[in-house]
Amino acid sequence: MTLIQLIAGFVARHRRAYAASALMLLSIALITVWIPRQVGQVVDGLVAHRLQGGGLLRELAWLLLAALAIYLLRVGWRLALFAAAYELGRELRTRLYRQLSLQGPGFFQAERTGDLMALATNDIDAVEMAAGEALLAAFDGSLTLLLVVAMMTLGVDWRLGLAALLPFPLMALAFWRISEHVHQAWKASLERFSGLNQHVQEALSGVRTLRALGLTARSTGQFHALADHAGEAAYRAQRWEAAYEPAVGMTLASAVAIALGLGGWLVARGELSIGSLTSFTMYLGQLIWPMFAAGWVLSLLERGRAAWARLQPVLDAPLSLRDEGRAALPAMADSAGIAFAALAFSYPGNPRPALDGVELALAPGQTLGLVGPTGAGKSTLLRLLLRQFEPDRGQVLLGGLPVQQIALPALRQALAWVPQEPFLFSASIAENIALARPDASPAQIVEAATLAAVHADIAALPQGYDTLVGERGVTLSGGQRQRVAIARALLSEAPILLLDDALSAVDTGTETQILGHLRTLRERHPERTVIIVSHRLSAVMEAEQIAVLRQGRITERGDHASLLAQGGWYATQWRYQQLEASIDAL
């Protein structure tokens, strides 16, 4: 779909607003071209001494009423037209947000956050301007041009009108050449702004790291360089836009010179009255707006076209994960069974398999521990269960159904996930904990925080649960953020709890406390299934099943006692971690 097709479809859906604006603009144009003719008649009347006294006042009153009508009509079309144009911006932003919210992680690995933010701001603004101001200026300018030229040639003198139009083809050629440069300049400007946006987003997200490593000055220098490049690109675009004005000025100056020369000769010969020449000169002045409108329209359309060329691929990008499932999960007691059948998966662009032939089955109410060295595929297994990626081979079954057959909203409601790097929103601690259950009572929020061993930390804050955590939870420590995220998961009613190395930032004492609370919670909800990914083997020692993943394959499985008896990787790591804990206790 081209930009013109997009705008045409939008205009068709909002035809009432655009029709009302067009009607008011037509009225303005008719009144505007009537004024010079009326002035010419007044001048001829004064020259011939036919118009004076009350008659003159009456003619001047009509001119004042015409000016007032133009003012009111201009206010009216702006209210009607821009209300519709802003609706296009709202629709595009809603569509973009919906598209981004449905995309999987694979899409965001290929796209930059700063670019996507720029699309939602600068680029959509440019498309909105093309549907509003550009469309208005095109209609108003074209209508005014046709009426003014008609009045010049048919209402005054056709010879004078045709002669005055001689310079305009040269202006059209200049506009065509300038518009090509404007398009390229705005394309470069939008791309430079995206790069600047990306740098600012990354710098603000990692400001503490930059400060800790003493990289603030270097980051500031990079920002200045990017800002200079973005400014240069915007200046270049504005400079090419400014080229429209000299083309208009030279054309109109040539037309006025031709009109005055030829018009004076016709007046001298008695073939044209002074009032008619005055009207013609005023009509030439009215051509200023259509000419400037043409340049303005071309500029806005080229800017919108460059923006739409960046925006459309994102809006039309196929979803990296399609929601074609129609099944709903059964009751909690039956939906928490999980099976991984001959599972194989490789990340895009990486030929080495992250998982290879994984076979696991977990009954409802059981706890599975996933351990192994870094990069073994533990988190990948959870991401396939969450349907963040699709397996290359094999199946992930939930409640006996392949996850692809389950509607994504139902799947997401069945899973409470605490990732390795928990995300907290810029809201209060209570709102972050109650994210999945906004109707939770204060007592339920406190209970969840207590189970996550974070209640005492929250109570010690000046505003308690009403404390704002800042962007990404910046005001909390890493361990506090992890425990708030655990509390959020525990408060949800999902039948499956996924803890992806969610205890890595807490000390062993707090870990023991949280695991004890989880044990109590499982006794209260025996149907709830838990998968714990951890590098600390103490976090999974009570699990009914423990699987050791190495290089994407399960190399050991069993419970804690049987794995120790096998004497493999698990037993070696257990002895090492126990020795390390005893040394730390000294």
Side-chain angles (χ1 to χ4, degrees):
M1 179 188 295
T2 64
L3 177 65
I4 301 301
Q5 290 173 327
L6 172 74
I7 295 175
F10 179 78
V11 171
R13 287 186 284 114
H14 296 82
R15 51 186 172 273
R16 290 186 178 180
Y18 280 92
S21 300
L23 185 60
M24 286 184 275
L25 286 170
L26 176 60
S27 302
I28 292 171
L30 290 173
I31 296 172
T32 301
V33 297
W34 171 82
I35 289 175
R37 186 175 182 84
Q38 184 69 7
V39 170
Q41 291 177 354
V42 170
V43 170
D44 283 340
L46 290 172
V47 171
H49 304 288
R50 295 192 310 268
L51 195 62
Q52 52 187 310
L56 178 60
L57 291 176
R58 185 169 57 252
E59 296 299 331
L60 293 177
W62 280 112
L63 291 173
L64 289 174
L65 285 175
L68 178 62
I70 290 175
Y71 169 77
L72 294 175
L73 288 169
R74 288 193 182 280
V75 172
W77 70 249
R78 279 178 167 82
L79 292 175
L81 185 68
F82 286 109
Y86 293 149
E87 179 66 18
L88 175 61
R90 187 194 68 80
E91 288 181 8
L92 287 176
R93 286 187 175 90
T94 302
R95 182 179 165 191
L96 177 63
Y97 183 83
R98 186 186 302 115
Q99 174 80 346
L100 296 180
S101 64
L102 294 175
Q103 289 287 5
F107 172 85
F108 294 101
Q109 288 177 354
E111 299 290 339
R112 301 191 305 174
T113 303
D115 286 341
L116 298 177
M117 292 171 63
L119 291 178
T121 52
N122 253 26
D123 294 78
I124 289 182
D125 281 344
V127 175
E128 182 183 302
M129 293 274 285
E133 292 193 29
L135 205 60
L136 148 77
F139 179 82
D140 190 19
S142 301
L143 187 61
T144 302
L145 177 64
L146 290 174
L147 291 174
V148 169
V149 170
M151 292 300 295
M152 287 167 57
T153 55
L154 302 178
V156 181
D157 189 282
W158 66 270
R159 296 167 297 178
L160 197 58
L162 292 179
L165 292 177
L166 288 176
F168 284 85
L170 295 176
M171 187 189 72
L173 177 62
F175 274 19
W176 174 67
R177 294 297 302 273
I178 293 169
S179 65
E180 292 182 341
H181 291 285
V182 167
H183 175 76
Q184 296 300 327
W186 275 116
K187 180 181 177 182
S189 177
L190 291 170
E191 290 174 351
R192 295 278 179 86
F193 179 81
S194 289
L196 178 64
N197 214 34
Q198 176 68 18
H199 177 80
V200 172
Q201 188 271 332
E202 290 179 348
L204 293 180
S205 297
V207 63
R208 291 193 295 182
T209 302
L210 292 175
R211 289 174 179 171
L213 297 177
L215 300 176
T216 306
R218 189 174 76 174
S219 178
T220 302
Q222 292 173 340
F223 172 81
H224 286 317
L226 289 170
D228 287 342
H229 291 157
E232 289 172 5
Y235 172 73
R236 192 177 303 114
Q238 294 287 352
R239 188 175 60 187
W240 277 112
E241 280 189 356
Y244 287 119
E245 186 173 345
V248 171
M250 293 175 64
T251 302
L252 287 176
S254 302
V256 168
I258 293 172
L260 290 177
L262 180 59
W265 182 72
L266 292 174
V267 169
R269 290 172 57 88
E271 297 181 18
L272 190 70
S273 69
I274 295 177
S276 295
L277 182 58
T278 302
S279 297
F280 191 89
T281 306
M282 291 183 67
Y283 282 129
L284 278 178
Q286 287 186 348
L287 284 179
I288 293 176
W289 160 239
M291 297 304 100
F292 276 112
W296 181 233
V297 168
L298 288 173
S299 173
L300 290 178
L301 286 179
E302 293 303 334
R303 188 186 309 186
R305 200 157 63 91
W308 181 243
R310 287 165 36 84
L311 183 62
Q312 187 181 21
V314 176
L315 291 176
D316 295 340
L319 297 180
S320 55
L321 291 173
R322 295 188 176 275
D323 185 11
E324 298 175 348
R326 296 292 179 266
L329 286 170
M332 178 182 279
D334 302 319
S335 65
I338 303 171
F340 302 99
L343 208 58
F345 173 74
S346 297
Y347 283 101
N350 187 354
R352 188 178 68 85
L355 294 172
D356 188 8
V358 173
E359 292 272 0
L360 273 173
L362 191 63
Q366 286 190 330
T367 296
L368 169 67
L370 292 175
V371 297
T374 301
K378 305 181 293 298
S379 297
T380 302
L381 200 60
L382 297 189
R383 299 182 82 175
L384 295 180
L385 175 59
L386 289 159
R387 275 206 74 194
Q388 294 182 359
F389 293 96
E390 299 287 11
D392 299 331
R393 296 189 307 277
Q395 284 187 323
V396 180
L397 304 172
L398 183 59
L401 295 172
V403 291
Q404 290 83 359
Q405 296 181 14
I406 303 171
L408 273 177
L411 176 66
R412 303 277 160 77
Q413 289 176 2
L415 303 168
W417 176 46
V418 183
Q420 294 179 11
E421 298 180 5
F423 188 95
L424 299 185
F425 293 88
S426 299
S428 68
I429 294 177
E431 289 171 322
N432 271 284
I433 294 176
L435 187 65
R437 285 182 61 188
D439 59 339
S441 66
Q444 291 172 321
I445 293 173
V446 170
E447 181 185 12
T450 302
L451 292 172
V454 74
H455 171 69
D457 296 58
I458 298 172
L461 297 172
Q463 294 178 303
Y465 284 83
D466 294 327
T467 301
L468 297 177
V469 300
E471 187 175 0
R472 294 177 175 266
V474 68
T475 58
L476 302 179
S477 68
Q480 288 172 332
R481 287 197 297 270
Q482 276 194 337
R483 284 176 285 161
V484 169
I486 292 172
R488 180 166 61 199
L490 295 178
L491 184 61
S492 75
E493 297 177 341
I496 299 172
L497 176 62
L498 308 177
L499 301 178
D500 188 0
D501 209 12
L503 301 174
S504 59
V506 300
D507 57 73
T508 54
T510 304
E511 176 194 275
T512 303
Q513 187 180 1
I514 294 173
L515 292 173
H517 292 161
L518 286 177
R519 191 184 313 113
T520 303
L521 188 64
R522 284 189 58 205
E523 293 172 357
R524 287 160 48 187
H525 299 285
E527 71 283 359
R528 196 171 204 181
T529 303
V530 181
I531 299 181
I532 301 175
V533 173
S534 180
H535 287 92
R536 290 182 187 168
L537 304 187
S538 57
V540 301
M541 61 180 295
E542 296 184 8
E544 286 87 353
Q545 288 191 65
I546 302 173
V548 178
L549 277 168
R550 301 184 69 184
Q551 297 182 349
R553 293 177 174 271
I554 296 179
T555 57
E556 303 172 51
R557 76 175 72 201
D559 58 14
H560 177 68
S562 64
L563 289 174
L564 288 180
Q566 291 177 26
W569 182 91
Y570 184 92
T572 302
Q573 283 295 114
W574 174 261
R575 288 193 295 269
Y576 173 79
Q577 290 183 11
Q578 290 299 108
L579 177 62
E580 187 179 52
S582 62
I583 293 174
D584 291 340
L586 295 178

